[in-house]
Each structure stands twice: as structure tokens, then as C-alpha cells.
């Protein structure tokens, strides 16, 4: 191979110093909790979703009020699909229980591209959920996270019974028990209904975990770019009661 060809091949394969610097700056932005991954400077697909944390919470709860009253808005899903092909900018993220009776998109009368939803039985923030929330905050610019528990939660009730009877549950269900157990043990020291207390404590604990998750979520909270709150969904009315705000 001639010297000239060798030089051209090296230039084609080797990344430029400028591209490496851009990559490093983008990665640093993620670590610091900024709007990272070198976002392209283009208009968001849903400009109405660019909100402050407080405005996002207000909009979320107004949607829940419409749902409770049975006056949900008509959503133009066809045009929303078209607008969202190239990206997304949800105004809120929801960590919800996987219970089939809980549907965040309905409960907050939201359209496509409005909510970034993670669901798991017992609505706890495992590593994968924390990572997902980091993504929506750092990359998509989501200003609000809601941890949404609900009354009569089967996962929390099963954890209470498993710990009380000292009897492991089958399959992979013990992983749920391990995650929810700290809240159950804390709630056991409280007066009142054991299940209700544990459901509430589980929400509070997971709000605290997400707020303090370093290096991305805690930085966004400290900078005022993110609010993390908790709520309980009431099965009989559909009302979401906020119980942990910050």
C-alpha cells in the first residue's frame, strides 16, 4: 500500500479530535444531569409539553380531575402519531404499579407522547427503572416524575404476608418482596391499617430514592429542573392523592 493510501485510510477510520471532544462533552452532560446526548437543535414534537416542574404537576392533576369527572378530552391520535415519529418530549414520567386496574395514560387524560411510563408490580424503583428515569430526564428533558401507588396493592399485601409467615413466595416473586420489604418493615412501626401504611411508605421511599439518585436525577432536582412527587390512586374513584412532594 502506498504512503498516500495509508494516510487516507487512517484519516477515514480515526475519529477527529473535534468529534471526540463533542462525544466527551455529551457524556459529561449526561453525568451532570443536563439535557445531554448532544440534542439536535430542533423544535420539540409537542411544544405544549415544554413546562416547568410545577406547571407539569398542575397539568397532570388537571388531567386526573377530568378523568374522575368523566369529561376526558378527545385526542387526535392519528396526527399525534405522525408528529411523534421523529422524537418525543413527555412532560411527565410515571412509575406505576403493573396492576391492570391502573392505567396512567387514562388516569391523567393524556395523549401520545405526554407520559413516559415505567410499570412494575409494587411500583418500586429498581436499577432499570432508575436508568429509565435518568434517560427521560437527561435526554428527553422531562421535568416531573410521579411515583404512583394504589390502594389494595397485591404486591405490597403479598410482601406483608410473606414476611409475617416467613414463607418465601414461588418463582421470581421474592425479588418483589425484597424490594418492597423495607417499606413494609417501616410501616409496621406505625399505627393504623398495615396495608395502607405500607403502600404509602413504599411510595415515600421510592420518591426519596429517585430524588437522591446520583449523578443525574439528584443534580436535576438541585438545579430546579426536576420535581419528584408521590401519589396514591384510589380504585373506587380514580382520584390521585398526592402524598409526597418536593
Amino acid at each position: 500500500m502506498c504512503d498516500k493510501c495509508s494516510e487516507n485510510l487512517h484519516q477515514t477510520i480515526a475519529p477527529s479530535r473535534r468529534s471526540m471532544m463533542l462525544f466527551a462533552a455529551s457524556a459529561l452532560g449526561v453525568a451532570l444531569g443536563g439535557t445531554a446526548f448532544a440534542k439536535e437543535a430542533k423544535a420539540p414534537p409537542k411544544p405544549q409539553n415544554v413546562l416547568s416542574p410545577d406547571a407539569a404537576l398542575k397539568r397532570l392533576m388537571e388531567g386526573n380531575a377530568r378523568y374522575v369527572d368523566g369529561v376526558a378530552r378527545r385526542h387526535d391520535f392519528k396526527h399525534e402519531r405522525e408528529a411523534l415519529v421523529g422524537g418525543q418530549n413527555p412532560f411527565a414520567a410515571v412509575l406505576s404499579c403493573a396492576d391492570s386496574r391502573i392505567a396512567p395514560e387514562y388516569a391523567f387524560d393524556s395523549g401520545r407522547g405526554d407520559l413516559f411510563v415505567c410499570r412494575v408490580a409494587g411500583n418500586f424503583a429498581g436499577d432499570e427503572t432508575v436508568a429509565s428515569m435518568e434517560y427521560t430526564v437527561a435526554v428527553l428533558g422531562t421535568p416531573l416524575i410521579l411515583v404512583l401507588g394504589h390502594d389494595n396493592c397485591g404486591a405490597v399485601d403479598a410482601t406483608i404476608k410473606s414476611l409475617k409467615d416467613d414463607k418465601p413466595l414461588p418463582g421470581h416473586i421474592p425479588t418483589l418482596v425484597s424490594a418492597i420489604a423495607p417499606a413494609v418493615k417501616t410501616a409496621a412501626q406505625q399505627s393504623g391499617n398495615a396495608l395502607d401504611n405500607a403502600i404509602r411508605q413504599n411510595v415515600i421511599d421510592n420518591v426519596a430514592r429517585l430524588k437522591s439518585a446520583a449523578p443525574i436525577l439528584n443534580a436535576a432536582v438541585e438545579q430546579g429542573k426536576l420535581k419528584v412527587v408521590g401519589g396514591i390512586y384510589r380504585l373506587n374513584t380514580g382520584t390521585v392523592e398526592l402524598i409526597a412532594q418536593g
Side-chain angles (χ1 to χ4, degrees):
M1 181 182 295
C2 67
D3 291 341
K4 186 65 176 178
C5 293
S6 177
E7 180 182 346
N8 290 340
L9 181 61
H10 176 74
Q11 289 176 349
T12 301
I13 296 175
S16 68
R17 182 172 181 273
R18 181 173 180 274
S19 66
M20 290 298 291
M21 289 178 66
L22 286 173
F23 178 80
S26 178
L28 180 61
V30 174
L32 295 178
T35 54
F37 283 122
K39 283 186 182 178
E40 296 179 15
K42 62 179 181 180
K46 302 191 79 169
Q48 67 272 30
N49 285 359
V50 180
L51 300 169
S52 69
D54 287 335
L57 180 59
K58 181 174 183 290
R59 179 176 165 188
L60 197 68
M61 298 311 293
E62 287 174 348
N64 180 241
R66 292 194 302 274
Y67 169 73
V68 171
D69 290 341
V71 290
R73 292 175 175 170
R74 180 182 181 277
H75 296 284
D76 186 351
F77 291 126
K78 181 179 185 299
H79 289 93
E80 282 185 341
R81 285 197 301 269
E82 295 170 354
L84 293 166
V85 169
Q88 59 174 319
N89 64 310
F91 76 89
V94 181
L95 168 53
S96 168
C97 183
D99 192 298
S100 65
R101 298 167 292 180
I102 315 301
E105 290 84 357
Y106 288 140
F108 297 106
D109 187 25
S110 61
R112 295 177 188 271
D114 287 342
L115 302 182
F116 186 93
V117 180
C118 295
R119 303 188 67 175
V120 62
N123 48 270
F124 62 88
D127 290 343
E128 295 84 357
T129 299
V130 173
S132 296
M133 293 300 177
E134 289 176 335
Y135 172 79
T136 195
V137 171
V139 180
L140 306 180
T142 305
L144 175 70
I145 296 174
L146 169 68
V147 178
L148 184 62
H150 67 96
D151 46 17
N152 299 320
C153 180
V156 176
D157 191 37
T159 299
I160 293 173
K161 292 175 180 176
S162 178
L163 295 177
K164 181 179 178 181
D165 300 338
D166 193 23
K167 183 178 179 181
L169 296 174
H172 291 79
I173 299 177
T175 61
L176 301 180
V177 172
S178 296
I180 302 170
V184 169
K185 292 175 181 177
T186 298
Q189 310 302 316
Q190 303 166 0
S191 59
N193 183 279
L195 178 56
D196 291 344
N197 289 343
I199 290 169
R200 180 185 181 90
Q201 189 64 48
N202 187 47
V203 170
I204 292 172
D205 287 356
N206 283 284
V207 167
R209 179 173 187 195
L210 290 172
K211 286 177 64 175
S212 62
I216 295 175
L217 299 183
N218 66 335
V221 170
E222 291 169 4
Q223 294 165 13
K225 298 177 180 178
L226 173 68
K227 181 184 286 286
V228 184
V229 302
I232 301 291
Y233 179 93
R234 300 302 179 189
L235 293 173
N236 61 333
T237 64
T239 301
V240 173
E241 299 174 6
L242 296 178
I243 62 170
Q245 301 187 55

